Amino acid sequence: MSLVKSLSGSTAISALGTISSYALTILLARDGGSINFGTYALCLAWAAIMTTLIDCASDAAFTHLTIRKGDPQAAFDTIFTARLSVFLILGCVLSVARLADLIDMPWQTFLLLLPAFNFGVLFEYHRSNLSFAAITCAEKFLLLLCNAMLLSFFAFGEVVYASYAVVSLASLLAQATVYRRFLLRLKPAPVRETLSYVVSYWPLLTIALAQLGYGHLSRIIIQGKQGLEVFAAVSLAFQFITLASIFQSQVDRAFRPPLIEAMRQSNKESCHDLVGRYLIFATLPMAMGAALIFVLAPQLIHLIYGPEYQLAGQILREISPLFVSISLVRLTDLVLLSLDLIRQNLFVNVSVSFMMLLIMFSLSASSPLSLFIGVIVVAQFVQAAAGGMLAYGALRWRVS
């Protein structure tokens, strides 16, 4: 299947899943109100950070690790062992931190962590992105259906979090059925190999955490500065950015394997062709989406979520440029990973993200919300520019 067909097909299926996700967001926002929905969104933000840690950068690393080991089963064993180890350690540490009141993280967050053990790396490696997109689409639709039924009989509460956990488990079982041979042959990787994986790919994990600064850590700072209701409005606005990220995930899955292969073969023509196609089929649509969102943001928020979340319309307009920066940042990540410039990319990601979070943290609680949002947008374009210059120089001098 060609890149374009795979990308268009998986994106179309993911779009159906996105519709279900947005329908669920609308349902929960309208049913729960700004406080209950804000708590749910806060759990999702914490879960995203924890899931990124548990995932151990496996999406970005699996193909690369398989080439190194020459065996996808060995790579899967190593990654699964690393995920489980981090999950157990992280669960213990955060549980103690909660009990000691060191962090303000709702306990329901732990019910949202099952997706960290997804089998997406196997679907990507075997070029079965359409199948993975179909399973995740069904998962999102089932979650919407369950919540619509449960909220007809119960108040917004633990049933929302419990349904998330049950549906996530069902999705994992479906994914495991497709690649059960890997699960049946699974054996814990030796401690030495697991530590070697962490040492080799910790820059990728740090990059992923740095990128969380834009959508999750930054929102948690805003919640601490301006309260749960403002956090709820910011979270609703960032739901539209999630749409861009979902499309971008399909782009990454379609472009990562051939781009890594082309870079390793030092095929200059193929590399330039892939980058050009990326800009046409990924970045250009994102730019068009950003322009549309900028024009329609207030009306969209009012129509979808109601007048209670009017602030989210202003926020959405201000963050609409992130559609473009997300695409550009992920392109530079792919190119730099393919050229083994992981640590250089790490420096760019971490330094820009750290400065952004430091500036946001230093702002007073009385600062305008627009100032917090502006810091996020400017920071990501600075990162895109810095990573782009590094990637361009590497392509020019290292690929003949």
Side-chain angles (χ1 to χ4, degrees), residues 175-189:
Q175 296 171 40
T177 299
V178 177
Y179 287 106
R180 56 186 174 274
R181 65 184 185 276
F182 282 87
L183 200 59
L184 292 173
R185 294 164 55 193
L186 175 67
K187 58 182 180 181

Side-chain angles (χ1 to χ4, degrees), residues 114-159:
L114 283 174
F117 293 94
N118 72 81
F119 291 74
V121 292
L122 295 176
F123 286 90
E124 176 183 322
Y125 179 76
H126 292 93
R127 311 293 174 91
S128 300
N129 295 323
L130 281 173
S131 298
F132 185 68
I135 292 174
T136 54
C137 176
E139 174 187 354
K140 292 170 183 176
F141 179 77
L142 184 58
L143 187 58
L144 169 62
L145 184 62
C146 287
N147 277 277
M149 294 176 60
L150 289 171
L151 291 176
S152 298
F153 300 98
F154 303 98
F156 193 110
E158 274 63 42
V159 293

Side-chain angles (χ1 to χ4, degrees), residues 50-51 53-56 80-95 109-114 116-117:
M50 294 173 66
T51 297
L53 286 167
I54 295 167
D55 182 69
C56 293
F80 189 88
T81 303
R83 285 179 176 180
L84 185 59
S85 300
V86 173
F87 170 75
L88 294 174
I89 295 171
L90 192 61
C92 292
V93 171
L94 291 180
S95 295
T109 301
F110 292 104
L111 296 175
L112 311 183
L113 298 180
L114 283 174
F117 293 94

Side-chain angles (χ1 to χ4, degrees), residues 39-49 109 112 164 216 219 239:
T39 302
Y40 173 77
L42 184 60
C43 288
L44 287 178
W46 275 107
I49 296 169
T109 301
L112 311 183
Y164 189 106
H216 297 286
R219 285 193 293 130
Q239 284 292 314

Side-chain angles (χ1 to χ4, degrees), residues 129-396:
N129 295 323
L130 281 173
S131 298
F132 185 68
I135 292 174
T136 54
C137 176
E139 174 187 354
K140 292 170 183 176
F141 179 77
L142 184 58
L143 187 58
L144 169 62
L145 184 62
C146 287
N147 277 277
M149 294 176 60
L150 289 171
L151 291 176
S152 298
F153 300 98
F154 303 98
F156 193 110
E158 274 63 42
V159 293
V160 173
Y161 303 97
S163 65
Y164 189 106
V166 171
V167 172
S168 296
L169 179 59
S171 176
L172 287 179
L173 291 174
Q175 296 171 40
T177 299
V178 177
Y179 287 106
R180 56 186 174 274
R181 65 184 185 276
F182 282 87
L183 200 59
L184 292 173
R185 294 164 55 193
L186 175 67
K187 58 182 180 181
V191 174
R192 183 168 57 88
E193 288 189 17
T194 304
L195 290 177
S196 176
Y197 169 79
V198 173
V199 170
S200 297
Y201 294 101
W202 70 266
L204 291 178
L205 175 58
T206 307
I207 288 171
L209 288 172
Q211 291 178 353
L212 280 180
Y214 298 105
H216 297 286
L217 291 171
S218 59
R219 285 193 293 130
I220 290 176
I221 291 177
I222 291 174
Q223 184 268 334
K225 297 281 188 178
Q226 303 204 347
L228 198 57
E229 293 190 36
V230 173
F231 176 82
V234 174
S235 297
L236 286 180
F238 269 90
Q239 284 292 314
F240 286 81
I241 301 301
T242 301
L243 173 64
S245 298
I246 291 172
F247 170 71
Q248 189 62 49
S249 294
Q250 303 306 320
V251 172
D252 290 350
R253 291 183 185 279
F255 277 88
R256 183 158 40 226
L259 192 55
I260 289 177
E261 183 177 353
M263 295 294 182
R264 289 199 169 276
Q265 294 176 352
S266 296
N267 189 329
K268 182 178 181 180
E269 183 178 348
S270 180
C271 291
H272 288 174
D273 177 65
L274 285 166
V275 171
R277 292 169 71 184
Y278 182 102
L279 294 173
I280 294 173
F281 293 110
T283 307
L284 181 59
M286 296 283 257
M288 295 170 64
L292 188 63
I293 289 295
F294 181 83
V295 173
L296 300 177
Q299 294 87 343
L300 282 173
I301 293 294
H302 186 276
L303 175 66
I304 296 172
Y305 299 110
E308 182 179 0
Y309 298 103
Q310 183 177 359
L311 177 61
Q314 173 191 332
I315 298 169
L316 178 58
R317 173 169 283 174
E318 292 172 354
I319 65 174
S320 60
L322 292 178
F323 276 72
V324 179
S325 61
I326 286 171
S327 180
L328 295 176
V329 166
R330 297 286 276 273
L331 173 59
T332 60
D333 286 346
L334 288 176
V335 173
L336 295 174
L337 169 65
S338 302
L339 293 170
D340 289 324
L341 297 177
I342 298 174
R343 284 174 173 76
Q344 291 86 337
N345 195 25
L346 169 66
F347 175 78
V348 172
N349 276 263
V350 171
S351 58
V352 175
S353 183
F354 177 77
M355 288 303 300
M356 177 198 70
L357 294 174
L358 184 62
I359 292 171
M360 292 184 68
F361 190 77
S362 65
L363 294 175
S364 68
S366 60
S367 298
L369 179 59
S370 296
L371 183 57
F372 287 92
I373 300 301
V375 171
I376 296 173
V377 173
V378 171
Q380 189 161 86
F381 274 96
V382 169
Q383 180 180 326
M389 289 188 289
L390 182 60
Y392 176 78
L395 280 173
R396 182 176 179 181

